């Protein structure tokens, strides 16, 4: 889970650096707390969580590659304000 947070940590680029840092630190604390709280859970829960988190980490790594961005026709950065404006124009035009 921590690896997934660290790999996907650049999703808040449009937010202020302080807010992004606070959010990442909060998620790191939650990883530690959830590990302590789930230490007595049955083994089957972890047999689900481990592959799920592994898949999430690998997909985050894969989405960072230029080849995958080209294949998915994804931009490196998205301007949130421009996206919201386009959504508003699309909603009013239909």
């Amino acid at each position: 889970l921590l690896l997934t947070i660290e790999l996907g940590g650049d999703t808040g680029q449009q937010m202020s650096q302080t807010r992004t840092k606070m959010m990442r630190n909060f998620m790191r604390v939650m990883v530690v707390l959830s590990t302590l709280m789930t230490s007595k859970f049955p083994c089957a829960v972890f047999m689900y969580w481990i592959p799920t988190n592994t898949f999430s980490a690998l997909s985050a790594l894969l989405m960072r590659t230029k080849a995958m961005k080209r294949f998915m026709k994804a931009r490196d950065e998205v301007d949130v304000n421009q996206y919201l404006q386009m959504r508003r124009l699309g909603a009013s035009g239909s």
Side-chain angles (χ1 to χ4, degrees), residues 22-53:
M22 280 179 23
M23 191 168 58
R24 290 180 84 187
N25 287 335
F26 174 76
M27 293 302 291
R28 290 175 183 140
V29 169
M30 290 305 296
V31 167
V32 173
L33 290 178
S34 66
T35 303
L36 295 174
M37 291 186 309
T38 60
S39 64
K40 302 294 182 190
F41 278 19
C43 177
V45 173
F46 297 106
M47 292 192 64
Y48 167 77
W49 278 347
I50 290 171
T52 302
N53 287 331

Side-chain angles (χ1 to χ4, degrees), residues 36-77:
L36 295 174
M37 291 186 309
T38 60
S39 64
K40 302 294 182 190
F41 278 19
C43 177
V45 173
F46 297 106
M47 292 192 64
Y48 167 77
W49 278 347
I50 290 171
T52 302
N53 287 331
T54 302
F55 178 78
S56 295
L58 290 175
S59 64
L61 262 175
L62 185 63
M63 287 306 294
R64 287 177 165 225
T65 63
K66 289 185 182 206
M68 182 55 82
K69 286 181 182 178
R70 273 194 310 268
F71 177 74
M72 300 293 289
K73 297 181 176 117
R75 296 186 209 161
D76 284 335
E77 294 181 16

